[in-house]
Amino acid sequence: SNNKKPGSSGLGNTQDGKQGSVAWTLGGDRLERSVGQDQSLEVEAAVRSNRAETWVVRTRPDGSTEVEVLDARGKVKSIDTSKILPSKNLNGVLP
């Protein structure tokens, strides 16, 4: 395994848009199948009001965890733009 390969590089393009993008997240019945009808409405509202983040989380062979934050198009953006991740972990790798 290549530790330098970003996890987001494996995200593909689908009929709904790039995996991890807002269009993909809200596309089809993906949310409803994942979290159920009631929760899917809440998640959709959070996504549409910009109160949600999309991450790619990858566990490396050494056990560390790499986190990438995606923008609305499913592209990697600076991890320090996260409103959720604590500032002490801004390097993108969690122990």
Side-chain angles (χ1 to χ4, degrees):
S1 174
N2 180 355
N3 282 347
K4 296 186 187 292
K5 179 182 175 188
S8 60
S9 65
L11 299 178
N13 292 311
T14 71
Q15 290 180 347
D16 294 323
K18 184 174 181 171
Q19 288 176 313
S21 69
V22 169
W24 178 83
T25 300
L26 300 180
D29 63 349
R30 186 169 288 106
L31 281 177
E32 190 172 322
R33 286 183 292 132
S34 298
V35 299
Q37 185 175 9
D38 294 339
Q39 289 294 110
S40 70
L41 297 173
E42 292 180 30
V43 173
E44 181 176 351
V47 169
R48 291 192 186 280
S49 64
N50 202 28
R51 294 183 298 118
E53 289 184 357
T54 302
W55 300 351
V56 174
V57 179
R58 188 169 75 104
T59 303
R60 295 173 152 193
D62 67 3
S64 65
T65 305
E66 180 181 10
V67 178
E68 293 177 313
V69 180
L70 304 181
D71 67 14
R73 298 173 317 225
K75 302 276 187 184
V76 176
K77 66 180 186 174
S78 176
I79 198 161
D80 64 359
T81 63
S82 173
K83 297 175 184 173
I84 298 171
L85 292 172
S87 60
K88 65 182 175 187
N89 289 320
L90 291 182
N91 63 3
V93 179
L94 303 174

